[in-house]
Amino acid sequence: SDLGYIGVMLNRSPDVRERYGETHFRRHLSDAQQVKVWKLLELQRHAMLMYTSCGWFFDELSGIETVKVIEYAGRVVQLAEQLFGDSIESEFLDRLALAKSNLPEYGDGAKIYRKYVKPLMVDLEKVGAHYSISSLFSPYGERTDIFAYTVKRLDYHARDAGRMRMAIGQARFTSKVTQECEDLTFWVVHFGDHNVAGGVRKTEGAGGYEEMLAAISDSFARVDIPEVVRLLDRRFGEKTYSLRSLFRDEQRRIVGIILSSTVSEAEAAYLQLYEHHAALMRFINSLGTPMPREFATAIEYALNSLLRRACASDELDGERIRNLLREAQAGNITLDKTTLEFTLRRKIESLAAHFAGSPFETDNLENLNAALRIVKQMPFAVNLWSAQNRIYATKNKSYEFTRNKAKGGNPKAQEWMASFSTLCELLMIRVE
């Protein structure tokens, strides 16, 4: 049945769009005219969404529901300005400013709009900035999807110079929602740590691009940082972007990548301090003397790090883990229970999966039992729900068969039964 525009919303494939056009367009429309139609329909959709009733029954303007409604209205403003060329945002903000927040830090609706809504607005150039910056950390293929956009790479060059990395290229960006399409030229430089700068602009001509590529590549090869910055500013002007321009999920992921080496350096420093002065720290503890804060921080970080590594090791060393736990207890160290629990849970689930895949492999069974014995000694509970379900399913499939063989005197079956009974006891699963 014909669902109208909601059918396009649910499936934005070319076939569905074509069928919608055949039904609703009075004549053949050019690509540009179709983009205008899709924008008009999206404007109407968001104009309906901004009247969502739950957003207006509120006791605080900065609440999540009201901010969401303002986001819908912001999309209406954005599309209306693109379609009709009128600047209506300022008038919209004047009216929104009349709505006051109960919390002084939020001020009024206009301030909330500028802080929480305006930064979320996306256009093709912002997608281009996201694409170019992300490409330095996770290379893209010829075609890729970025949320509601598709990107076709037209040209791409990457250069490295010590800690610095640069990328320059061209790509075609298309909105899956409005079908708006644009070829953009981008340039991005990672100077190290969080320092990333990039520029995006509409592609103008092959000659200009080739000349820019040569000039930038030459300056970058000479590691002439001031010249690189000047070229970036000259070529892209105010259209420059940084890590703040990334979409939130990718922003967090890339910050994590950047931080990983820094965290590793900090971890190595703490471990070195702990290893060099562990004996002195133990002596201070034995005297009952308060531990200097610098040592206390080092020993807490180091012991948690060592425990995390031991719990994630391919072969769990029970004695090693027990010794670390004893040292943590003696030093009254606060354990990172959340991380350690997660690490051990993943380890148990992995061993349980190996056992379920080959339940009669003695090593798989013994490794799981050994790991569970260690879990029982931890000073916190580990969620074994997933492993319990997997082992219970294995019990239903293998237990009766093996028990009958064990009753018949088969020594391997008897050995398996004993080990499996221990496993069920550790997991608190009734055997009979």
Side-chain angles (χ1 to χ4, degrees), residues 36 39-40 42-44 46-47 72-89 121:
K36 187 172 184 179
K39 284 187 174 183
L40 285 166
E42 279 297 296
L43 184 151
Q44 181 62 35
H46 283 82
Y72 293 140
R75 179 60 170 160
V76 173
V77 170
Q78 183 186 33
L79 289 170
E81 290 188 339
Q82 291 177 10
L83 286 163
F84 309 122
D86 299 327
S87 180
I88 62 174
E89 186 182 56
M121 289 187 176

Side-chain angles (χ1 to χ4, degrees), residues 55-70 95-103 106-113 116-117:
W56 300 109
F57 291 94
F58 60 87
D59 55 9
E60 169 46 39
L61 192 64
S62 62
I64 186 171
E65 299 90 352
T66 312
V67 172
K68 190 64 186 175
V69 164
I70 297 174
R95 299 187 182 189
L96 204 54
L98 300 175
K100 307 299 181 182
S101 169
N102 298 315
L103 305 173
Y106 293 112
D108 54 40
K111 184 176 179 180
I112 290 171
Y113 175 90
Y116 295 108
V117 177

Side-chain angles (χ1 to χ4, degrees), residues 149-170:
Y149 300 86
T150 59
V151 185
K152 179 184 178 183
R153 190 172 68 192
L154 304 175
D155 191 55
Y156 189 86
H157 300 273
R159 302 282 189 273
D160 292 283
R163 294 184 63 193
M164 291 177 57
R165 182 170 174 79
M166 178 197 80
I168 185 170
Q170 295 179 324

Side-chain angles (χ1 to χ4, degrees), residues 266-419:
E267 184 178 49
Y270 277 122
L271 286 172
Q272 187 177 45
L273 179 62
Y274 168 73
E275 290 167 359
H276 287 180
H277 302 288
L280 175 58
M281 294 179 192
R282 294 188 190 102
F283 178 69
I284 293 172
N285 271 329
S286 70
L287 296 177
T289 304
M291 183 76 68
R293 186 164 54 183
E294 294 80 3
F295 275 11
T297 301
I299 193 171
E300 180 174 318
Y301 190 97
L303 284 175
N304 275 294
S305 179
L306 292 169
L307 272 169
R308 186 175 64 252
R309 291 182 185 184
C311 292
S313 177
D314 290 339
E315 294 186 12
L316 295 178
D317 186 339
E319 188 61 30
R320 168 71 168 161
I321 292 173
R322 281 190 290 273
N323 287 337
L324 290 170
L325 287 173
R326 278 195 290 267
E327 188 155 356
Q329 184 178 17
N332 197 27
I333 299 301
T334 301
L335 295 178
D336 182 3
K337 295 179 181 179
T338 301
T339 301
L340 292 174
E341 189 278 337
F342 177 76
T343 303
L344 276 173
R345 174 161 34 102
R346 292 290 298 271
K347 183 69 177 178
I348 294 297
E349 289 172 358
S350 175
L351 291 171
H354 277 96
F355 170 72
S358 302
F360 299 112
E361 287 287 337
T362 306
D363 287 347
N364 289 345
L365 181 53
E366 289 305 321
N367 288 340
L368 182 54
N369 276 339
L372 286 168
R373 290 189 185 97
I374 292 171
V375 165
K376 293 296 182 182
Q377 297 172 7
M378 301 304 288
F380 51 82
V382 176
N383 187 340
L384 300 174
W385 176 81
S386 178
Q388 287 170 326
N389 285 343
R390 196 179 285 273
I391 300 309
Y392 187 81
T394 303
K395 170 184 174 293
N396 290 339
K397 293 177 181 177
S398 309
Y399 183 74
E400 290 297 328
F401 171 75
T402 312
R403 184 173 66 171
N404 291 334
K405 291 183 69 175
K407 286 180 178 179
N410 186 304
K412 287 187 176 181
Q414 291 171 348
E415 182 183 343
W416 187 92
M417 285 292 294
S419 293

